[in-house]
Each structure stands twice: as structure tokens, then as C-alpha cells.
Amino acid sequence: METRIYHAVDQLKSGGVRMTPQRYAILKYLMESTSHPTADDIFKSLSPAYPSLSVATVYNNLKLFVDAGLIRELTYGDDSSRFDADLSDHYHAICTGCGAMVDFDHDPVVEVERAAAERTGFLVQGHRMEIYGLCPTCRGLMS
């Protein structure tokens, strides 16, 4: 994990980005997180240790990291984008009860991309798939 953080820091520095303690903390938080946090989640987690941190600083740094190709922004039609530092090909299961998002690996659905290209004429560049349902915790609450 530390190696990923150091590589990301080096990439930013080589691009002329100054590494502030707040920027490093946001980057480290994202690299260590598996919860796909929102900007607000990040702010709430880091603000006790960084009292001068603002929500705007978090958003600005998230945009910087997305533009640098270090993280992905996951948007779902509402205002609460989530951020994922795992850039590998993977899918997400999303709880319709609490909103938890969990990664899972599966072979790429190449046939779906091929079918989409054939039927639409699009040059397909990728896809995103989510599975929706109730997580074990929410399922237990409904029993």
C-alpha cells in the first residue's frame, strides 16, 4: 500500500503539484479506503486531525487526483459522487438500503461490449456495471 502512495506522490510531484500535508492525507485516505468515500466522508474523517481542512479543499484535491488518473469518480445520478483508488477492472455491489458499495471481481463482460458495438455502431471504450440489492446488515434488519 505504501508503495502505491509513494508512486502517486511522485507522479503528482513530477507534474509540478506541491505535496501539502492535507493533500497527502486525502490521497492516503483514498488509497487505504475500500468504502468508496464521498467528499463529505473524507472531510469528516480528516477534519479532526486537520482543523484548517475545508470541504472545498477536499473537492479540489479530488478533482486533481481524478485528472491525474490516480482515482476514479463514480457518479450515480445524484450529487454524492464516490471515489475509488482501485483502478483495476472490477465491479460494484451497491446496497439499496444503506448505500454501502463493495468491490467484486468477475471476468470482464466482453460479449456485452461486442453486442453494444454491433447494435449501436459505437466504438466501445469500456463499461461500468453495478449490482443492486441489500447488504447482509440491511437484510438482517428486515428479518
Side-chain angles (χ1 to χ4, degrees):
M1 181 58 63
E2 289 298 316
T3 304
R4 281 184 61 213
I5 296 168
Y6 290 129
H7 285 300
V9 168
D10 285 345
Q11 181 180 335
L12 290 168
K13 284 182 177 177
S14 68
V17 175
R18 193 170 63 91
M19 191 52 55
T20 65
Q22 292 177 336
R23 183 168 287 146
Y24 181 83
I26 295 167
L27 183 62
K28 186 173 188 287
Y29 183 88
L30 285 163
M31 295 283 177
E32 293 175 349
S33 175
T34 58
S35 66
H36 309 86
T38 64
D40 196 47
D41 294 335
I42 297 166
F43 174 75
K44 287 176 182 172
S45 293
L46 296 178
S47 60
Y50 297 89
S52 63
L53 183 68
S54 69
V55 176
T57 299
V58 174
Y59 275 106
N60 291 337
N61 280 288
L62 290 170
K63 180 177 178 358
L64 176 77
F65 300 155
V66 168
D67 291 346
L70 298 174
I71 64 171
R72 287 184 187 147
E73 181 175 8
L74 307 172
T75 55
Y76 294 94
D78 57 12
D79 292 333
S80 58
S81 290
R82 292 177 170 270
F83 297 89
D84 191 353
D86 181 353
L87 301 178
S88 69
D89 289 331
H90 65 278
Y91 300 108
H92 298 106
I94 302 167
C95 180
T96 56
C98 67
M101 185 182 293
V102 179
D103 292 342
F104 71 95
D105 292 318
H106 189 277
D107 292 335
V109 287
V110 178
E111 286 303 313
V112 174
E113 287 187 355
R114 242 184 245 127
E118 289 172 11
R119 293 179 187 153
T120 65
F122 277 41
L123 173 60
V124 176
Q125 297 173 318
H127 68 273
R128 183 174 86 180
M129 179 176 69
E130 295 94 27
I131 303 299
Y132 294 92
L134 291 172
C135 70
T137 302
C138 290
R139 215 174 49 238
L141 293 174
M142 299 182 95
S143 303

